[in-house]
Amino acid sequence: MEHSRQIQGPLALLEQDKARLRLLFLAKHACSGGVPDGEDGTHAVYHHEMLTTLRAIGLDVTPATDFDILHERPDTDFVVPVLNRAGFLNSEMLAPLLLLRRSVPALGAIPILRGLTDDKHLMKIVARHLGVPVTDWVAVRRGQGQVAPPPFAWQRLVVKPNASSASWGVRILDTWSEAKAHAETILAAGHDVIIEPYAPLIDIAVPVIGGRGPWLLPATGYFPDTPGTLRSYEEKRGLVPIDDDPLRTIDDPELVARLEDHTNSLIGELWPFDYGRFEYRYDPATGDIRFMEVNLSCNLWSRKTISRAAAAIGLNHAELVETIVAHSMLRQGVVGRIVQRR
């Protein structure tokens, strides 16, 4: 797939469509009022920001906090579902499935793609099939038997749930006995496991949003003061005091071109979707790039990667959200026309 950043730009809904459309915003903390949650931390702040941003755009939005509202067809024209981690495995697929059953258009991607991209093991298989280099890995499904040592060389190992988010359950371990014990703990908790070699490399994300087609925002690297530092779930959710993520736009044209080439290959298997983050590990000493994972329908909080990448090219948070929503509504026939802003 060939895409040019120059032909993309922010989108807007027509005022008459804003006036007639009714939206449902489905999020665990949709009614939090912006107060951090004791367990989910700043995720509650993010949900409140999304609700207020949708309303600031000029949309009529009703908040809801659980799946019950989807068991019958909701009285709405369009749903923004960000209830992705609902306390059970693969819960990110439930809202898209229920909405598909009721023929209600929604932001994000179809359920099968949500399930595919949330399974790190399966996405690595897809990437390898497409010729995109990947980090070595081994996956262990529940019920497969004993956890065996990985077949690749390693000095340290990353052991985590195969569908983890925000670094939940992730540990970096130095011995196989520790890695095996943590893998078994994850399995006992009801999650599949993925095991990868650890190296203190640079994590780089390529954010992609829907414009009139896929719009690749600036590649953004995570550069902590101490290279290779792993941020915990508590840090990522703001449950402990922490500064904003140390993110910087990648300004090496050759590196950006390679990242975008890999991302376009993956997009070809996943399109259409409305927004996502394609993540890689980069070794500046060798120039190697290794695909890690894709996060469709990921965090759109103004302090996180997609919003900060958009801000780097002059797109504020409200413009970003409206662009994504307008793209989604147009591709699903909720509206017949949108405005391309300069």
Side-chain angles (χ1 to χ4, degrees), residues 1 108-111 113-114 210 212-214 267-275 296 327-328 331-332:
M1 298 179 69
I110 60 174
L113 290 181
R114 291 299 311 278
R212 289 187 179 272
I267 288 172
E269 293 297 321
L270 302 176
W271 191 256
F273 57 86
D274 296 324
Y275 62 105
L296 294 188
H327 158 81
S328 184
R331 75 174 177 85
Q332 296 178 80

Side-chain angles (χ1 to χ4, degrees), residues 98-274:
L98 291 171
L99 290 164
L100 185 64
R101 182 187 184 195
R102 303 296 179 191
S103 300
V104 181
L107 194 72
I110 60 174
I112 195 70
L113 290 181
R114 291 299 311 278
L116 170 63
T117 57
D118 272 41
D119 191 301
K120 303 179 196 304
H121 168 64
L122 293 181
M123 271 310 305
K124 286 176 181 287
I125 292 174
V126 171
R128 179 166 283 175
H129 172 74
L130 294 171
V132 175
V134 298
T135 304
D136 286 331
W137 84 99
V138 62
V140 184
R141 302 287 191 188
R142 291 167 297 156
Q144 281 189 337
Q146 291 189 338
V147 181
F152 48 78
W154 58 274
Q155 293 182 318
R156 306 183 77 193
L157 288 171
V158 179
V159 182
K160 58 189 175 183
N162 186 48
S164 69
S165 66
S167 293
W168 176 81
V170 179
R171 291 187 63 186
I172 300 172
L173 300 161
D174 295 306
T175 68
W176 174 242
S177 61
E178 293 174 307
K180 183 174 184 289
H182 185 50
E184 289 171 344
T185 298
I186 293 171
L187 291 166
H191 298 269
D192 297 335
V193 172
I194 190 165
I195 302 172
E196 302 169 337
Y198 170 79
L201 306 180
I202 297 172
D203 292 335
I204 299 179
V206 180
V208 180
I209 64 173
R212 289 187 179 272
W215 182 3
L216 278 63
L217 299 180
T220 303
Y222 175 75
F223 293 92
D225 292 336
T226 304
T229 301
L230 175 68
R231 294 192 77 177
S232 67
Y233 175 85
E234 289 75 17
E235 290 173 324
K236 288 190 175 182
R237 288 289 185 254
L239 295 170
V240 295
I242 194 73
D243 295 329
D244 282 345
D245 294 342
L247 304 178
R248 295 205 307 265
T249 299
I250 303 300
D251 55 10
D252 179 341
E254 189 273 337
L255 175 57
V256 169
R258 292 166 61 206
L259 289 163
E260 292 192 347
D261 183 58
H262 293 327
T263 302
N264 277 322
S265 295
L266 295 165
I267 288 172
E269 293 297 321
L270 302 176
W271 191 256
F273 57 86
D274 296 324

